Amino acid sequence: VQLVESGGGLVQPGGSLRLSCAASGIIFSKNTVGWYRQAPGKQREAVALIFRGGGTSYPDSVRGRFTIARDNAKNTVYLQMDSLKPEDTAVYYCNAVYRNEYYWGQGTQVTVSS
């Protein structure tokens, strides 16, 4: 299983970014996929999950600003991030649960700063 993230970068507060996670060795539509983030000195936290049936889950900190979506034909999961805040600055990781194992991408840096 290999997960590859892309789309991070530097954005001003209030701006938007879209992250992508492409997979090989796993079919995203048959598994739970999530986006997590880790800021310096903080624990890694989940910011969006998408389940096999298409349901989604978000913590209060990003609900209404972040949207997770899945393209089954491309076997890719996206994270649309709007109204970004400086506190959203972190390394963002794609995660998939497959046969009770957790798989992670390499991470992509998102920096929100003026």
Side-chain angles (χ1 to χ4, degrees):
V1 176
Q2 186 175 17
L3 308 179
V4 179
E5 301 104 335
S6 61
L10 173 64
V11 63
Q12 293 186 341
S16 297
L17 279 177
R18 189 178 79 156
L19 307 183
S20 300
C21 176
S24 59
I26 184 175
I27 299 175
F28 272 164
S29 63
K30 295 186 177 182
N31 298 277
T32 297
V33 181
W35 284 97
Y36 291 70
R37 69 185 179 189
Q38 188 166 20
K42 295 187 177 181
Q43 289 188 331
R44 192 172 295 190
E45 61 173 350
V47 295
L49 299 174
I50 185 164
F51 305 103
R52 288 180 58 179
T56 58
S57 177
Y58 306 92
D60 290 343
S61 58
V62 308
R63 188 176 294 112
R65 301 189 298 120
F66 289 12
T67 303
I68 188 170
R70 186 177 65 206
D71 185 328
N72 293 339
K74 295 182 178 180
N75 204 29
T76 299
V77 168
Y78 303 96
L79 183 67
Q80 177 67 40
M81 304 185 293
D82 299 317
S83 302
L84 283 161
K85 304 175 181 180
E87 52 263 43
D88 294 318
T89 296
V91 179
Y92 283 71
Y93 298 89
C94 179
N95 166 272
V97 182
Y98 177 60
R99 295 182 176 177
N100 295 320
E101 295 284 341
Y102 281 74
Y103 294 90
W104 298 92
Q106 81 285 358
T108 185
Q109 177 71 45
V110 171
T111 302
V112 184
S113 175
S114 55

